Amino acid sequence: NSAGQKPPCSVSLAATAGISTEHSRDARRSFENFDGDRVGVQGRLRRDETNIVDSTDPYLQLEWRQGAWIAHTGVRYSRVSFDVRDRFTANGDDSGSRDYSRTTPVAGIVYKLSPATSLYASAARRLEAPTLNEWFYSTAGGFNFGLDAASSRHIELGAKMNPSAGTRVQAALFQAQTRDELVVDSSSGGRTSYRNAARTLRRGAELSADIRLSRSLQARVAASAIHAVYEEGVGNAAAGNRLPGVPRAHGFADIAWTGDGLSAGVEAQASSRIYA
């Protein structure tokens, strides 16, 4: 400094490694809900099986910081296995197994324009294996061993700002492209079966703000707009059809008061049409 040189910019690098593992074992039995002419009573056995789900996910994360820049990256290997052991074979043996595995990376970068404002960008891949509930039925009968895991690519650009004490504003643009997304194939008699869609697309924007109006009064507002469609047709849904259950626009607002041991609030939500 005495020679007029700028102090060196500090650099830090942090690494995190770990593994996540889960195991689920369900013993499932079901019965007819009638006995002869009597209804609403336990009748004959119609299902007796054990469902086993195991998942293992080792991962590695790196975070690099220098001045106003923060960069992070990570990679995860995911493996999910299903095993069905059917002991009630009067209606056929539904025993079987299926494994899903994939390596999924993520990367992101943050730039601090000022202590109160940050810009960021991120990209990632994702694996979503079917759940047991999605596996239970197929249109052909028995377990739906033909379901594939959904894979998707995500990108997001955004800004986070704290314009004043107690106020936080966030804005984001995002896109998600999914292949083999799990969608409803048929629903009848209380049973819903699923299938894989070819490709789907979600593209949208979000804006939210948290504002502290006083020591005991907090307000929140949020709005989103999304374009969610099938990129390729599946079943009765043609390419370009909107995804069910996803409104084009949604808004939320609430105001909450907190006092000595008491709290109260008012909340409002609004959305455009939602197609079933």
Side-chain angles (χ1 to χ4, degrees):
N1 286 340
S2 60
Q5 296 179 349
K6 292 183 178 180
C9 188
S10 62
V11 178
S12 67
L13 179 65
T16 303
I19 185 170
S20 171
T21 180
E22 295 181 329
H23 172 79
S24 171
R25 184 185 183 97
D26 297 336
R28 295 177 178 265
R29 303 179 76 200
S30 64
F31 300 83
E32 293 178 344
N33 65 346
F34 60 89
D35 183 8
D37 295 332
R38 295 191 305 153
V39 296
V41 297
Q42 180 175 305
R44 294 179 301 176
L45 181 71
R46 60 182 298 172
R47 167 177 261 171
D48 185 6
E49 66 199 28
T50 299
N51 306 147
I52 301 172
V53 184
D54 289 291
S55 68
T56 304
D57 299 82
Y59 60 88
L60 174 66
Q61 296 173 315
L62 298 174
E63 183 182 87
W64 171 85
R65 292 173 176 262
Q66 182 174 5
W69 294 93
I70 303 173
H72 58 87
T73 185
V75 64
R76 175 190 294 266
Y77 174 76
S78 299
R79 179 183 177 87
V80 183
S81 62
F82 292 87
D83 186 11
V84 178
R85 302 173 184 178
D86 188 5
R87 291 182 294 274
F88 182 74
T89 58
N91 59 352
D93 189 351
D94 289 330
S95 299
S97 61
R98 182 79 191 267
D99 291 343
Y100 305 95
S101 62
R102 190 157 298 156
T103 299
T104 52
V106 61
I109 192 164
V110 178
Y111 178 69
K112 289 185 173 291
L113 287 173
S114 70
T117 303
S118 298
L119 305 178
Y120 71 90
S122 65
R125 289 183 179 271
R126 180 170 176 259
L127 169 72
E128 182 185 353
T131 65
L132 274 174
N133 285 339
E134 292 165 335
W135 245 41
F136 273 146
Y137 304 111
S138 68
T139 53
F143 275 81
N144 200 349
F145 291 109
L147 281 180
D148 292 324
S151 60
S152 54
R153 295 181 296 174
H154 302 252
I155 57 173
E156 183 173 334
L157 304 172
K160 298 182 179 183
M161 296 157 280
N162 296 89
S164 62
T167 299
R168 182 177 59 190
V169 179
Q170 299 183 65
L173 301 174
F174 63 88
Q175 176 177 290
Q177 290 179 297
T178 304
R179 181 176 292 277
D180 294 326
E181 180 163 353
L182 297 162
V183 297
V184 172
D185 187 19
S186 67
S187 184
S188 177
R191 295 184 177 186
T192 300
S193 62
Y194 293 82
R195 64 179 295 175
N196 294 108
R199 291 191 306 182
T200 60
L201 171 68
R202 293 169 175 82
R203 182 180 292 151
E206 296 178 342
L207 179 64
S208 65
D210 289 0
I211 306 168
R212 181 163 291 283
L213 302 173
S214 68
R215 187 174 181 179
S216 57
L217 205 59
Q218 181 85 19
R220 295 183 300 165
V221 293
S224 63
I226 184 170
H227 175 69
V229 296
Y230 292 97
E231 284 196 299
E232 295 182 10
V234 55
N236 294 323
N241 277 20
R242 290 169 54 187
L243 292 176
V246 183
R248 285 180 174 171
H250 181 78
F252 169 88
D254 77 355
I255 187 167
W257 174 85
T258 303
D260 296 331
L262 295 173
S263 62
V266 178
E267 174 184 304
Q269 296 191 53
S271 67
S272 59
R273 293 178 180 176
I274 300 176
Y275 292 93

